[in-house]
């Protein structure tokens, strides 16, 4: 099954749900698509739900994906990422890369905690 992305606007934020097989190739251009849709609507808070994604890239593949695929962040966007605990190693690595690149990005394994942070002013 190919990577599928669904967007649903909530009260002042967007839920982005990914499902299917994740790969670097499948992810190319998706960041720009999501960023474009949120910018067009003036929304700067995103809940990125990756719990239904199958497959994960290796640590070197994640690093390469970040270097080659992610553009510079203009700032102002807050992203709470939901994932499953069994993916914590690759998910935490991705979180660190995002934060080291200046993004307001946090990983969560609990949806209520993610939403609380997303809607708070706390770093």
């Amino acid at each position: 099954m190919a990577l599928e992305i669904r967007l649903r606007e909530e009260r002042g934020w967007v839920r982005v749900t990914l499902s299917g097989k994740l790969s670097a190739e499948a992810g190319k251009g998706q960041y720009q698509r999501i960023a474009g849709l949120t910018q067009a609507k003036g929304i700067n808070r995103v809940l990125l739900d990756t719990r239904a994604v199958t497959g994960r890239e290796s640590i070197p593949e994640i690093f390469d994906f970040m270097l080659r695929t992610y553009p510079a962040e203009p700032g102002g966007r807050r992203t709470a990422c939901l994932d499953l605990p069994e993916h914590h190693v690759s998910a935490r690595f991705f979180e660190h890369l995002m934060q080291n690149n200046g993004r307001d990005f946090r990983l969560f394994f609990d949806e209520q905690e993610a939403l609380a942070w997303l809607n708070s002013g706390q770093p």
Side-chain angles (χ1 to χ4, degrees):
M1 181 169 135
L3 184 66
E4 180 183 328
I5 298 175
R6 294 185 314 274
L7 287 93
R8 186 176 79 209
E9 191 172 346
E10 300 286 344
R11 292 166 288 202
W13 54 277
V14 171
R15 176 185 291 269
V16 178
T17 305
L18 293 117
S19 59
K21 177 80 170 120
L22 180 65
S23 69
E25 191 62 36
K28 284 184 182 172
Q30 297 307 323
Y31 172 80
Q32 289 88 345
R33 176 179 168 227
I34 293 166
L37 290 168
T38 58
Q39 286 173 345
K41 293 181 174 273
I43 296 171
N44 62 4
R45 291 179 291 156
V46 176
L47 177 69
L48 178 63
D49 188 345
T50 61
R51 295 175 293 182
V53 169
T54 58
R56 291 294 190 273
E57 300 292 315
S58 68
I59 297 299
E61 289 168 327
I62 293 168
F63 186 74
D64 186 61
F65 178 75
M66 282 294 295
L67 287 177
R68 296 179 191 276
T69 304
Y70 271 73
E73 177 81 354
R77 182 173 301 111
R78 174 174 271 216
T79 303
C81 181
L82 277 172
D83 208 336
L84 298 172
E86 54 262 31
H87 302 298
H88 77 278
V89 172
S90 60
R92 286 280 179 222
F93 183 70
F94 187 76
E95 175 188 45
H96 291 304
L97 288 175
M98 294 290 279
Q99 291 172 351
N100 287 339
N101 283 305
R103 292 173 172 86
D104 193 4
F105 184 98
R106 287 218 21 218
L107 173 67
F108 295 90
F109 301 112
D110 178 83
E111 186 165 344
Q112 294 311 311
E113 288 178 15
L115 289 171
W117 177 79
L118 190 64
N119 291 304
S120 76
Q122 300 173 8

